[in-house]
Amino acid sequence: MRAHHRLVMATATAAALTGGLLTLTAAPATAADSTTVAKADFNGDGIGDLATSASAAYVGGKKGAGQVVVLYGTRTGVTGSKRTTITQDTPGVPGGAEAGDAFGGALAYGDFNGDGYDDLAVGITHEKVGDDVNGGAVALLWGSKSGLTGKGADLPDPAVGSHDFWGHNLAAGDFDGDGRTDLVVGASGSTLYLYKGGFSSAGTAASRTTVKPPIQGGTGEDPLAPLNLTAGDVNGDGRTDLVVDGYETKTRYGWNTNYWLPGTANGLSTAAAKKLRAGIITGIGDINGDGYGDIVSGAFWDSGKVDDGTPLPDASTGGRVNITYGSVSGPDRNAAIDQNTGNVPGASEKGDAFGGELDLGDINGDGYQDLVISSIFEDLGNASDAGLVTVLYGSASGVNTATKAQSIAQSTAGVPGNDEKGDHFGMDVKLDDVTGDGRADLLVGSDEDGGDGALVYLPSDGTKITATGSRFVGVKNVGVSATGTPWFGSIIAN
């Protein structure tokens, strides 16, 4: 999923853990279809592209209608000039732009129709369906030699009335191993819908089944379930698995509890589900190069206790990331990292939200997936909640916390912009090869200029992420209205 998850985190506290008290809308991180995180390529030129959104943007004077922006990769990275900007008023896009629709509230990519070009699934989280104000909708936008042009199809809600926020979560992968890209769609209920690949131009899938992980469902205006859907091959069998971030149903606390659902020849198996460590934002990639996808989840809340004195599970001051390494039998050994681990830059401080966003990609081409982690509410100098990102590198033994780590903020030499109050640098992050050199580059979203939003492109120099050749892409560069708070760059497709 990708709904703007402003971790409004005057409240990122104990309350953020419990189902009834969650105060943010989180979003799924990397949706990999193998142990090496797949890049999006909407125009088939072999260079990675970036799909992001401004889900709260004005369109034709309609507040919060939302826009999607695709930045096409080139040998020099991404800019605002080579792009496609799409709304529901774009010819061929299902529906029409309406106030509050949040077009682009969730994004996932894959070649759904099998024509060799990646397509984009777009959640229209608050689309009104009949009298249902927050019914939700999903649009499939087809890739082509010209990229995304707006041609697409509607993916109808199969259970209108049984839930809201259809398309609140999206994840793409080959879950049955038949060589075609499938799509999982979530809403406010705990039931997921798995569409088998081979979509027609009208949006008809080869088949549809339901998947029911053991998590809470949402109610009313609170689309709690699931929080995130993340795809990747954890057991190395060539089928994509799914990690579902949600809340457990067995205690009165409703703790954040996540599950691994393995892919099988018949789709996703809930019978073989395994409980995982906590975290809201999840990514999957092969950190140690053993051929199995490793699961990384951001548990960004501070340690503490609930009212009756029960301690919060999986909690660290300032937040942490939990890592579960993959194996032939699925999730295996665990590890945890915070800003006090090894030589990780900085220090664990209350309210930093370390793990508020994350992604994986191979920055230096050594065959090990590297990890970028956001501390969205990091205070820098006099700038509260300025935000920064940490880059940790993979190795044969897992995440390397002893050497090579990088800390990047807008005050880092050569990085565009400045540390400013409320920027939340790292509101979303993406590691993807947008230059075609085989190395993952870094894209960082922020709440620049009070919620206008922006992306900062930081290339790989073949060894590490560098500010040399970096650039700033803001709303003025991509044709998004700066009226209100469009939140451009806070949702990046995975």
Side-chain angles (χ1 to χ4, degrees), residues 236-251:
D237 65 354
R239 300 186 181 100
T240 307
D241 310 317
L242 188 72
V243 170
V244 180
D245 296 345
Y247 293 105
E248 50 89 8
T249 60
K250 298 185 181 301
T251 74

Side-chain angles (χ1 to χ4, degrees), residues 107-468:
L107 301 170
Y109 60 79
D111 184 5
F112 301 121
N113 59 6
D115 65 355
Y117 300 101
D118 276 330
D119 312 305
L120 186 67
V122 180
I124 313 163
T125 319
H126 297 277
E127 178 89 6
K128 185 177 181 180
V129 180
D131 294 329
D132 190 351
V133 175
N134 290 311
V138 175
L140 300 177
L141 304 181
W142 307 124
S144 70
K145 187 175 181 180
S146 302
L148 294 183
T149 62
K151 293 181 180 179
D154 177 52
L155 189 65
D157 186 343
V160 176
S162 65
H163 53 236
D164 276 332
F165 308 102
W166 172 245
H168 174 64
N169 317 94
L170 301 168
D174 184 7
F175 301 105
D176 57 4
D178 67 354
R180 298 181 294 182
T181 303
D182 312 313
L183 179 67
V184 177
V185 182
S188 60
S190 58
T191 298
L192 308 176
Y193 297 83
L194 171 58
Y195 291 83
K196 289 191 66 173
F199 288 80
S200 71
S201 59
T204 303
S207 68
R208 185 191 72 232
T209 56
T210 56
V211 181
K212 298 182 178 182
I215 60 172
Q216 287 187 31
T219 58
E221 293 294 309
D222 200 357
L224 287 177
L227 292 171
N228 274 308
L229 302 176
T230 308
D233 185 2
V234 176
N235 58 8
D237 65 354
R239 300 186 181 100
T240 307
D241 310 317
L242 188 72
V243 170
V244 180
D245 296 345
Y247 293 105
E248 50 89 8
T249 60
K250 298 185 181 301
T251 74
R252 68 186 182 89
Y253 299 107
W255 300 122
N256 168 226
T257 306
N258 305 329
Y259 293 90
W260 169 73
L261 279 57
T264 73
N266 297 316
L268 292 165
S269 171
T270 54
K274 287 187 179 181
K275 183 178 176 181
L276 302 169
R277 300 184 75 174
I280 301 294
I281 304 297
T282 296
I284 301 174
D286 187 4
I287 297 169
N288 57 7
D290 63 357
Y292 305 106
D294 307 311
I295 303 166
V296 186
S297 291
F300 52 75
W301 50 86
D302 289 302
S303 55
K305 299 178 180 180
V306 294
D307 291 344
D308 67 0
T310 301
L312 299 178
D314 276 320
S316 298
T317 297
R320 76 189 198 187
V321 295
N322 289 316
I323 302 171
T324 301
Y325 289 94
S327 73
V328 68
S329 58
D332 192 13
R333 63 185 177 92
N334 295 313
I337 297 171
D338 60 28
Q339 285 182 289
N340 288 339
T341 303
N343 291 323
V344 174
S348 295
E349 300 166 318
K350 187 175 181 178
D352 280 352
F354 181 78
E357 256 297 349
L358 54 85
D359 199 21
L360 296 106
D362 189 356
I363 295 167
N364 52 16
D366 63 359
Y368 304 109
Q369 294 285 301
D370 308 311
L371 176 64
V372 57
I373 304 166
S374 295
S375 300
I376 298 172
F377 295 103
E378 186 86 23
D379 297 338
L380 299 174
N382 295 322
S384 60
D385 298 340
L388 62 76
V389 297
T390 300
V391 181
L392 302 175
Y393 289 82
S395 72
S397 58
V399 177
N400 180 0
T401 59
T403 60
K404 299 198 301 182
Q406 295 180 265
S407 180
I408 302 170
Q410 286 186 284
S411 54
T412 302
V415 175
N418 300 288
D419 295 335
E420 296 172 321
K421 180 180 178 180
D423 269 0
H424 306 127
F425 186 72
M427 179 53 71
D428 202 354
V429 289
K430 178 68 172 169
L431 284 171
D432 199 351
D433 176 16
V434 294
T435 61
D437 65 355
R439 309 289 192 269
D441 310 298
L442 176 60
L443 285 302
V444 182
S446 71
D447 280 343
E448 192 79 20
D449 296 331
D452 283 359
L455 287 169
V456 170
Y457 159 68
L458 298 161
S460 167
D461 67 2
T463 302
K464 64 182 185 303
I465 296 297
T466 178
T468 303

